[in-house]
Amino acid sequence: MTNRWIDAALGVLLLLTLPFLLQGVIIKTKAFFGGRSGPPLLQPYYDFFKLLRKQMVLSRTTSWVFLAGPAISLTAILGASLLLPLGGRSAPIHFAGDLVLFAYLLALSRFFTAAAALDTGSSFEGMGAARELTFAALAEPALFLGLLALVKATGSMELSGLLGHAIAPVWSTAAATLVLVAAGLFVVVLAENSRIPVDDPNTHLELTMIHEVMVLDHSGPALGLIHYGAALKFFAMTSIIARLVVPVSTESILFNWSVFVAAMIGLAVVVGVVESVMARLQLVLVPNLLIGAGMLTGLALVLLFMR
Amino acid sequence: MISLILIGAAAGFAGISGMLSLLLPRRSRDQFFAACMVLSGAVGTAVSLFLLVSGQTLAYESPWLLPIGRFAVRLDSLSAFFLVPVFLVPSLAALFGSSYWKEEEHRSSAGFLRIAFGLLAAGMAGVLLAQDGVLLLIAWEIMALSAFFAIAAGGAGAEVRSAAWVYLVATHVGTLSLVGCFTLLSAVTGSFDLVPLASGVGTGRELSWLFVLGLVGFGLKAGIMPLHVWLPGAHANAPSHVSAVLSGVMLKIGVYGVIRICWMLPSEPLWKSWLLIGLGAGSAVLALLFALGQHDYKRLLAYSSIENIGILITGLGLAHLGHAMGRPILTLLGLAGALLHVWNHALFKSLLFFIAGTTLHATGTRRLNALGGLGKKMPKTAAVAAIACLAAAALPPLNGFVSEWLLYRAVLGDWTASPGGAGLPLAVAVLAIALAGALAIAVFIRFFGTAFLGQERTESAAAAHDPSRGMLAPMVILTGLCLGIGLLPAGALWMAARGSAFWIGSDGVAALAATPALWTMTAIGIGLLALAATWFAVLRNPARSSAPSRPGTWGCGYARPSARMQYGESSLAQSLIGLVRGIVLPRRKLPSLAGPFPASSAFETDTPDVVLDRAMLPAFGWVARGLTRFRQMHRGRGRVQVQILYLVVGLLLLLAFASKGEG
């Protein structure tokens, strides 16, 4: 019982502190590939605290939605992350059917990000909102098919079961389907978190922006909260893949959590490598990529039913 | 017994209150009518809730003067469940209408609109109470015809007339199908009673025909695709408080009919359940694809209604499948989710149509691309609209999410319970609801973002103002109910469980009530709301923002952005429509640029309804032209005599066919 409390406390602690470290790891990996030494590893933390100290500049076109956007978006992602069994045993909050709540809380954060973008009355932000809504509509079936495949494979309806204690035995019986699910969900992670090949987080060109462009007019603490929300969303979605690929769930809390942190940093390095060796896809080809990811996870689901 | 009399009296009083209002002087007619409807609505809602909670089934019958059928009234848990929105929404709509469609502003139409409105409410209640097929058809016709007059009150223009006619034709095709269904029912069972058929009654073919005729008849009223052709035009052109009742409640009467047909007939064979799931899933996704292309925000809301009906029918199909295959989890959760969605949709869709009415009243235009920046001109409406759009997009912690969650839970529970069952094809239902959810977010960001956010695009948007208290009060009540159901899903499921008692019995109700997950969702909902409010208060703190003068939007360096440069509703939907242009078939009129000095030209896009404008109307036109040519073949050559000859020959052929059938 105390183990559960320690698990929950460690989970919340990591949730609050680790996301920016992953962003730093990705930046360092890309710098390594670029032959640079790059900014310090903890730079995202410094940026976040600097932004919290600054004042905001609010446009007269915006209304309460502009500030409600970052607030509700961050809250929704935080709520979704509390449903994930990061340490391998059980999440701080879990109940049967919570995977649907997870997906819909991410959708809630997307609604308010798009609303805050449209609130500025600028065509640039509207363009980002339009692209975001289109690609999210295509990524949602892929995410749901992946989660459904995991439900069928593990026989559990909770994320704490799907990604917790029940996933490790599935590797010995249906490893191929788990590889397909992991591949499909990896593409969804890249798409939802504005990573190459779907979006370039470092660019400020109209041709290439999706997520960066929606937050152009935010500044100060609002921008800090947005960066934190984005980092947290990346952390949450990558942790699904980490739990899939490294489903360690032993009795030793220290071992579980060390392996989890190592897996997350490893996945951040992988994302950094993917971003460095690939170019961004043409926007008209992104729907093909997302539908392809949906087909991978759908194939995994069909394979599970044919066993 | 007293409850039955009260419900009947409430419905009857609502029916005649429109006519009663004509007895008063002009200036007090609106208030009197609203007061009558609110009174009957309050009594009806209270008694229905009481009957739902107590779980009784009431019945009454007496002979009557017609040669067929009898006056048989029944109020079981399903009727009580549907009676709650049937009494609640029209009373709130009448309250809204007393400020929205005032006698002084609409001298010619307000009077008969009130009469039609009252009769519509009474007709709907009558359909829910009828146990006899003939009585149901009488109430059905009262409801359908008063809806026609209510839609036609929307104006004198060609668009309103065309929408009303299409509605009238569609509803009578549905009534014809229902007449066929009930006639076949009386041939099979010997009476028009709408009770479950005893086992062994009727052959397989007769039962299949009963199912199909009932589905077509009730499905035309519910708006299942491809029988939805009347819906967008009727809901867009009717006065907004009438649209709220049509979308929020009248569609549900069609769904009630489909549920009754499913309950009356045996659940095998399985193709019936798969037909329901397939039609529901298809409606849900396709309707939103059409909603993405609409330039008129009331048509957008109408297509969103079709999507929600699709989700309802999918849930009903899941329950039907569970009943046929003996999988209790599917039946319990599928039916409870579908019934709860009936209430949820009635609440948030009528709220959305009230918001549309307020916007129309304030700006005078139905074009979404003419609005913008209404959030600053109509702050209270915008706040209510934000919550309504969240509910319609099925996002937590509001009520739309709870019913969809129950449907997901039904499929997940079936897959993880004992092996067997329907298996993989159920993934179609889940996928359709998931895709519909993602598309609904796009549709409602399109609605909310274009209308209420950004800068105003035209003069009419700049002149907007918040509505009066009479229009605001019903919206606030509905918002409160949406939030309440969203934050208390356990209570909502309890009510839905009591509503499904007619099919699953009391053990089913007990099994449903033991779903502990819902209290966790309440806690999460309240926690998230509190956390978001805290962050919001922190950010809003004036010390955090800079100097008092607020500059224009920076937008990465655009020095002078204009309102027309903003992304509007067509821009937001362009990529998605482009992806599905093979299904949605949008019409584009490209500008014609001829010669070295071209004249001014325009670019237009339009998304007509594929089934109506590209299939049915051309087909009807082709048939009409052929028949007109045939009719004109004998012009000037003794035409009347030849047509009488055709009639006689046709009659002889029919007699020969009929006697051959008997012999």
Side-chain angles (χ1 to χ4, degrees):
Chain A
M1 216 48 224
T2 25
N3 281 349
R4 240 204 103 208
W5 284 108
I6 303 180
D7 258 342
L10 268 178
V12 173
L13 191 65
L14 278 184
L15 260 183
L16 295 176
T17 55
L18 206 55
F20 279 131
L21 182 63
L22 295 184
Q23 300 290 318
V25 167
I26 297 179
I27 296 173
K28 271 292 198 191
T29 315
K30 286 162 76 168
F32 169 75
F33 269 82
R36 303 175 272 125
S37 65
L41 193 65
L42 302 180
Q43 185 61 38
Y45 292 96
Y46 306 148
D47 287 340
F48 175 67
F49 286 111
K50 179 180 71 170
L51 281 171
L52 286 185
R53 285 194 303 267
K54 291 198 175 254
Q55 277 189 327
M56 289 190 290
V57 175
L58 295 175
S59 152
R60 58 174 168 265
T61 318
T62 60
S63 61
W64 60 270
V65 178
F66 189 69
L67 293 175
I72 299 181
S73 176
L74 174 63
T75 314
I77 300 177
L78 204 54
S81 320
L82 287 175
L83 295 168
L84 290 169
L86 302 172
R89 253 104 62 78
S90 74
I93 308 175
H94 62 98
F95 56 92
D98 59 9
L99 53 113
V100 178
L101 183 62
F102 175 77
Y104 274 73
L105 279 173
L106 292 181
L108 177 66
S109 85
R110 192 186 322 132
F111 184 97
F112 271 98
T113 314
L118 286 173
D119 198 24
T120 58
S122 155
S123 50
F124 222 171
E125 274 104 333
M127 175 197 82
R131 290 173 178 176
E132 165 78 348
L133 293 171
T134 312
F135 297 149
L138 295 167
E140 193 90 345
L143 176 66
F144 261 96
L145 280 173
L147 289 175
L148 283 182
L150 289 176
V151 167
K152 181 62 186 165
T154 57
S156 161
M157 278 189 281
E158 312 182 340
L159 282 172
S160 301
L162 286 189
L163 302 169
H165 48 86
I167 191 70
V170 182
W171 274 105
S172 42
T173 54
T177 54
L178 284 188
V179 168
L180 285 173
V181 169
L185 287 183
F186 187 67
V187 173
V188 171
V189 165
L190 292 178
E192 292 270 340
N193 293 287
S194 69
R195 298 279 140 203
I196 292 179
V198 175
D199 183 13
D200 189 352
N202 286 335
T203 179
H204 283 270
L205 299 175
E206 183 180 336
L207 271 180
T208 55
M209 286 202 274
I210 304 177
H211 290 80
E212 274 303 306
V213 72
M214 286 200 282
V215 300
L216 273 181
D217 269 85
H218 290 266
S219 49
L223 186 60
L225 287 187
I226 289 179
H227 282 171
Y228 182 52
L232 192 54
K233 185 171 174 186
F234 179 77
F235 179 84
M237 297 188 81
T238 314
S239 69
I240 298 181
I241 314 240
R243 286 299 313 159
L244 259 185
V245 170
V246 189
V248 163
S249 175
T250 65
E251 285 304 314
S252 153
I253 294 182
L254 192 58
F255 185 64
N256 286 345
W257 286 100
S258 331
V259 170
F260 173 70
V261 172
M264 291 294 276
I265 295 183
L267 271 175
V269 170
V270 168
V271 170
V273 169
V274 166
E275 291 217 277
S276 309
V277 306
M278 287 186 72
R280 227 202 50 142
L281 271 184
Q282 259 190 314
L283 272 181
V284 294
L285 293 180
V286 174
N288 301 10
L289 176 69
L290 291 171
I291 296 178
M295 290 190 159
L296 282 178
T297 42
L299 180 62
L301 186 62
V302 170
L303 283 177
L304 280 169
F305 271 98
M306 287 172 64
R307 268 196 302 158
Chain B
M1 196 53 211
I2 282 264
S3 324
L4 205 51
I5 297 178
L6 275 174
I7 297 245
F13 187 55
I16 58 171
S17 51
M19 293 174 255
L20 282 179
S21 74
L22 290 178
L23 300 172
L24 277 88
R26 267 187 192 262
R27 61 178 184 276
S28 42
R29 284 179 189 172
D30 289 317
Q31 272 82 357
F32 175 73
F33 177 67
C36 289
M37 290 291 290
V38 167
L39 178 64
S40 71
V43 168
T45 314
V47 176
S48 318
L49 277 171
F50 166 71
L51 284 172
L52 185 63
V53 168
S54 65
Q56 328 164 11
T57 299
L58 304 172
Y60 171 76
E61 63 177 87
S62 80
W64 62 1
L65 302 169
L66 294 177
I68 45 173
R70 60 202 177 99
F71 187 78
V73 163
R74 166 196 54 207
L75 217 166
D76 61 358
S77 70
L78 184 67
S79 303
F81 193 83
F82 274 83
L83 273 172
V84 172
V86 163
F87 277 115
L88 181 66
V89 174
S91 58
L92 288 175
L95 186 58
F96 184 84
S98 67
S99 312
Y100 172 70
W101 203 265
K102 289 203 188 128
E103 178 81 34
E104 305 89 70
E105 292 164 19
H106 300 269
R107 291 224 143 198
S108 55
S109 57
F112 80 84
L113 175 58
R114 281 193 297 266
I115 298 176
F117 200 89
L119 282 175
L120 177 60
M124 291 194 289
V127 170
L128 292 175
L129 290 171
Q131 182 178 326
D132 181 74
V134 179
L135 180 62
L136 191 143
L137 279 175
I138 294 175
W140 188 264
E141 270 305 283
I142 295 177
M143 172 183 83
L145 286 176
S146 41
F148 167 70
F149 285 113
I151 295 171
E159 205 193 332
V160 180
R161 280 202 310 270
S162 146
W165 279 122
V166 171
Y167 162 75
L168 192 63
V169 170
T171 194
H172 279 124
V173 171
T175 310
L176 188 64
S177 182
L178 283 182
V179 167
C181 178
F182 291 150
T183 315
L184 184 57
L185 181 69
S186 86
V188 166
T189 60
S191 86
F192 284 98
D193 259 1
L194 300 172
V195 289
L197 267 57
S199 59
V201 168
T203 66
R205 257 182 55 164
E206 283 166 350
L207 293 174
S208 307
W209 270 109
L210 275 173
F211 182 76
V212 168
L213 285 172
L215 187 60
V216 168
F218 288 117
L220 260 170
K221 181 63 70 181
I224 308 176
M225 275 184 158
L227 304 169
H228 68 287
V229 292
W230 59 275
L231 229 163
H235 289 210
N237 289 297
S240 300
H241 60 301
V242 174
S243 305
V245 171
L246 293 179
S247 245
V249 194
M250 200 173 78
L251 297 183
K252 311 302 182 307
I253 306 291
V255 174
Y256 166 83
V258 177
I259 298 181
R260 277 282 181 223
I261 291 284
C262 290
W263 172 69
M264 278 164 45
L265 303 172
S267 318
E268 291 84 15
L270 288 178
W271 64 263
K272 297 185 198 170
S273 320
W274 289 117
L275 180 66
L276 285 174
I277 295 181
L279 283 176
S283 300
V285 174
L286 286 174
L288 284 178
L289 293 179
F290 282 106
L292 281 171
Q294 302 305 316
H295 301 304
D296 172 351
Y297 52 88
K298 285 178 76 173
R299 277 183 79 103
L300 185 151
L301 293 177
Y303 274 108
S304 163
S305 289
I306 303 178
E307 174 236 344
N308 282 289
I309 295 292
I311 293 182
L312 265 172
I313 298 292
T314 308
L316 178 63
L318 287 175
H320 200 243
L321 186 67
H323 196 246
M325 293 182 113
R327 313 278 295 176
I329 293 187
L330 268 184
T331 316
L332 293 179
L333 286 169
L335 190 58
L339 286 180
L340 187 57
H341 204 67
V342 167
W343 274 14
N344 289 342
H345 182 236
L347 291 175
F348 66 68
K349 192 41 66 70
S350 24
L351 177 58
L352 279 169
F353 270 109
F354 289 163
I355 292 168
T358 311
T359 312
L360 184 54
H361 195 243
T363 60
T365 172
R366 256 169 41 199
R367 267 181 60 225
L368 200 46
N369 255 340
L371 304 176
L374 293 180
K376 292 188 277 294
K377 300 280 188 328
M378 303 166 41
K380 298 186 196 138
T381 313
V384 166
I387 299 184
C389 289
L390 282 177
L395 292 172
L398 287 158
N399 55 355
F401 172 70
V402 178
S403 36
E404 293 200 2
W405 182 84
L406 284 172
L407 295 181
Y408 283 116
R409 180 78 175 71
V411 174
L412 293 178
D414 184 61
W415 277 5
T416 54
S418 52
L424 185 59
L426 282 180
V428 164
V430 172
L431 208 55
I433 303 180
L435 191 54
L439 288 173
I441 294 181
V443 167
F444 282 99
I445 280 284
R446 198 169 164 262
F447 171 62
F448 184 65
T450 315
F452 290 96
L453 302 176
Q455 284 178 288
E456 48 269 5
R457 291 176 179 79
T458 58
E459 289 301 314
S460 26
H465 56 90
D466 248 334
S468 59
R469 250 202 330 235
M471 290 205 269
L472 209 48
M475 296 202 280
V476 169
I477 294 176
L478 286 173
T479 313
L481 285 172
C482 286
L483 263 174
I485 293 188
L487 287 175
L488 273 178
L493 178 60
W494 189 78
M495 287 298 222
R498 308 210 86 76
S500 20
F502 76 106
W503 206 347
I504 60 178
S506 44
D507 332 314
V509 173
L512 260 182
T515 321
L518 299 170
W519 288 110
T520 319
M521 287 217 280
T522 305
I524 296 177
I526 297 181
L528 291 182
L529 275 179
L531 193 57
T534 319
W535 284 123
F536 184 59
V538 163
L539 286 178
R540 274 278 252 207
N541 181 359
R544 295 213 168 269
S545 56
S546 70
S549 72
R550 285 165 61 150
T553 301
W554 172 62
C556 206
Y558 280 97
R560 300 171 68 87
S562 84
R564 281 196 40 148
M565 280 162 63
Q566 297 174 96
Y567 252 57
E569 44 92 0
S570 28
S571 342
L572 280 172
Q574 186 198 9
S575 332
L576 272 169
I577 297 276
L579 280 174
V580 294
R581 60 182 174 276
I583 305 172
V584 170
L585 301 175
R587 264 203 286 252
R588 284 157 58 105
K589 185 173 150 291
L590 295 170
S592 55
L593 302 166
F597 298 104
S600 81
S601 189
F603 170 77
E604 249 183 75
T605 66
D606 191 19
T607 317
D609 190 87
V610 162
V611 181
L612 181 66
D613 295 301
R614 286 192 190 271
M616 279 193 186
L617 288 181
F620 289 166
W622 185 78
V623 169
R625 278 195 299 277
L627 289 178
T628 311
R629 259 204 301 276
F630 182 69
R631 194 180 69 204
Q632 286 174 340
M633 260 168 30
H634 302 283
R635 179 177 39 210
R637 260 197 276 161
R639 196 170 59 159
V640 176
Q641 284 88 326
V642 178
Q643 289 190 342
I644 294 179
L645 185 60
Y646 281 139
L647 272 172
V648 169
V649 168
L651 254 173
L652 285 173
L653 281 172
L654 259 177
L655 279 171
F657 183 67
S659 59
K660 187 186 71 144
E662 274 171 42

